[in-house]
Structure formats: structure tokens, C-alpha cells
Amino acid sequence: MPRTARKRSCTDFYHVIGRGINHERIFNQTREKNNLIRLLRKYLDKYEVELYAYVIMSTHFHLLIHADLKVLSSYLAIVLAEFAEYYNYKHNRNGHVFQNRFRSECIENTQYFWNCVRYIHMNPVNANIVKSPLKYRFSSLKEYETENSQIIHADAIRVYKKEFSDFEEYLDFHQKSSRQIFIDIPEEVEIQQQKFALALINQEAHRQGLDSPKEIIEQQSLRKDYQQKLRNDLRISKTRAVRLYRFVKRCIIGK
């Protein structure tokens, strides 16, 4: 079956995610994370790729990259192939290391760009690894704090300084919530959708002048409208919307 062609971004900015095969923790050790960072740096100039944000988790990684789409594919092909060779030799194994090819989504406006940067940096916090994104060593946030671009492109620091008055404002921005859903491993997408569903029911209760989101759950017409809005906003199936509704119900009334 032919592969689906990647969508080309009108800005040449892409959010990229790659994950280990069969949920393997291919970046479990510090030196494995460091090796991927080394390889990302090694081929940046050769392929004219600009990196604006990254985070390396145990099972997957996120990158925000500015590049021509064909160049991006070539760049990641060599980076991931070299990492796979290293990983297989290190663990005395053969075969695939990554789950299929990397996934990508287009970043086509400024708001989505900054929300994506925030989502990438907040990955370790959302995974309950650290309480503050600055405490996580394997992300680009520290480079923004020091304004010393080791891997991220110099323009990343320039646009950050143009957008935010100082690093404290930038760090505060990371604490804000977003209703956008980003590509990720399935478990993380589910968490994003659950947060969205909770935020939506509270927003709908406020918009309709209700005292509590419980009123949406208690009234048939209101809960049907809420589930339909979940389907429309998240572009999910009716079955998935019902599952999210049940999660929200348990959170709000405990049943």
C-alpha cells in the first residue's frame, strides 16, 4: 500500500515526532539521549535545517524544524539511521528501532508555532517526570534561558526575544493552557483530549450562565450538545466522544 504523501507547510515549519518500535524506551539512558542530540547537531548545517525546539523523552522525541520538506526527510533519515545503528550495536540486537517513519504536522501561523514550542517543552512536566520544564535536561528550553544556541538556530533566540520581554515572561507562558491538540504518542494524545474535554465543559457552562458544569451532565439536551461539540472540535468519532464524556463525568461527579 503506497505511503500517504506528507503535507507541505506554507511556512516550512514542521512539528516532528519519532518513537521507538513497540513502545521501547530507546532513549532510556542519558547517553542515548545525548547521542540523538549529537546526531541532530551533526547534520544541521549539512542539510540546511533550522531547529527551533526539541525534547527527547524515553520512548520518543519532538522537534520543531524549519526546512524544505524534502530536506527535512533526508535529514531525519540519516539521523535516525545512524542512531539505529548505534542503538543496535550497543544492545547487541538487529532490526528496526523506530516505529515506522517519523510523523509530522505543519506549523502555519504564529500562534500555533508558540503553542507547539510550549507543548514540546512541557512534555516532561505533562509526563510527571519533572515539576518545572527547566528541570529537564534534554530539551531546548535551557538554550532559550541562556540565549546560547547549541542546537537550536540563532533565529530561534531572535524571534523569542522579539515575542517576549524576558525569560520570566517566556517561562510564565509555558504555564498557560492551550486547547490545541498536537501529534504525539497515543497515550499523550489521549491526555491532551481529556484536558480539552474538561476545559470545554467548563467553558460551555460559563457561556450558558450555568452555576456548575454538573448541569450539563444532568440535562439530556445539554450533554448531547456537549458531546456533539466534542466531536466537531476534536474531529473524533461518536464512540470516542462518548468515552471522553464518561471521563469528564467521572471527574466532575465521580460516577
Side-chain angles (χ1 to χ4, degrees):
M1 186 174 180
R3 289 181 173 180
T4 303
R6 294 189 188 277
K7 184 179 177 183
R8 184 179 298 276
S9 168
C10 65
T11 65
D12 284 337
F13 276 98
Y14 298 91
H15 173 207
V16 172
I17 177 175
R19 66 177 302 184
I21 194 167
N22 298 326
H23 309 283
E24 286 186 22
R25 299 169 69 88
I26 59 173
F27 309 114
N28 197 44
Q29 298 176 353
T30 295
R31 61 184 184 274
E32 291 164 347
K33 295 183 180 74
N34 284 335
N35 190 59
L36 179 62
I37 291 172
R38 181 187 65 80
L39 292 172
L40 290 170
R41 182 192 295 114
K42 177 180 177 180
Y43 292 105
L44 281 175
D45 292 337
K46 179 178 179 180
Y47 285 89
E48 297 183 358
V49 165
E50 299 173 0
L51 189 58
Y52 278 69
Y54 69 87
V55 68
I56 316 298
M57 305 293 284
S58 293
T59 60
H60 64 289
F61 63 82
H62 291 268
L63 310 172
L64 200 166
I65 290 180
H66 182 253
D68 175 81
L69 185 56
K70 289 184 178 179
V71 172
L72 171 64
S73 295
S74 298
Y75 167 72
L76 284 175
I78 193 167
V79 167
L80 300 186
E82 197 163 317
F83 181 87
E85 182 180 6
Y86 153 84
Y87 185 83
N88 278 338
Y89 180 82
K90 179 173 180 285
H91 293 279
N92 193 28
R93 69 187 291 277
N94 295 298
H96 295 292
V97 172
F98 292 94
Q99 183 77 43
N100 301 320
R101 58 178 183 162
F102 69 89
R103 296 174 61 200
S104 63
E105 63 180 345
C106 300
I107 307 295
E108 297 187 331
N109 60 64
T110 301
Q111 181 186 34
Y112 202 76
F113 171 88
W114 287 115
N115 284 341
C116 187
V117 170
R118 173 175 56 198
Y119 181 74
I120 288 172
H121 288 155
M122 291 297 290
N123 239 241
V125 177
N126 294 333
N128 296 314
I129 297 172
V130 291
K131 291 188 176 181
S132 167
L134 263 181
K135 297 290 186 183
Y136 194 72
R137 292 172 51 195
F138 307 101
S139 89
S140 49
L141 187 57
K142 201 70 178 178
E143 294 186 41
Y144 282 98
E145 181 190 29
T146 61
E147 297 182 14
N148 182 13
S149 54
Q150 296 296 309
I151 307 178
I152 62 173
H153 196 267
D155 281 351
I157 303 297
R158 180 183 59 79
V159 297
Y160 142 69
K161 294 184 73 173
K162 184 177 179 180
E163 183 74 15
F164 300 92
S165 60
D166 55 30
F167 183 73
E168 287 303 315
E169 182 184 354
Y170 187 47
L171 199 57
D172 287 343
F173 166 75
H174 281 70
Q175 305 306 318
K176 296 179 180 179
S177 60
S178 170
R179 292 183 59 191
Q180 292 173 322
I181 306 297
F182 297 94
I183 58 170
D184 209 324
I185 58 176
E187 307 93 283
E188 295 295 335
V189 170
E190 182 172 9
I191 291 172
Q192 289 184 71
Q193 291 180 343
Q194 289 173 346
K195 289 181 177 179
F196 180 98
L198 283 168
L200 179 63
I201 197 169
N202 282 290
Q203 176 186 296
E204 287 298 296
H206 177 75
R207 185 179 66 83
Q208 297 182 46
L210 304 176
D211 291 333
S212 166
K214 289 181 179 179
E215 295 182 59
I216 292 178
I217 293 172
E218 292 166 349
Q219 297 184 46
Q220 185 181 39
S221 61
L222 292 180
R223 66 175 175 263
K224 283 187 175 181
D225 288 345
Y226 167 68
Q227 289 180 43
Q228 186 60 50
K229 191 163 181 59
L230 275 178
R231 290 186 65 187
N232 295 341
D233 288 3
L234 291 176
R235 299 178 183 178
I236 56 177
S237 67
K238 181 178 180 180
T239 300
R240 179 63 187 147
V242 169
R243 284 180 57 196
L244 281 173
Y245 166 74
R246 289 172 178 166
F247 166 80
V248 168
K249 182 182 177 183
R250 289 196 302 271
C251 290
I252 291 176
I253 64 176
K255 297 180 181 179

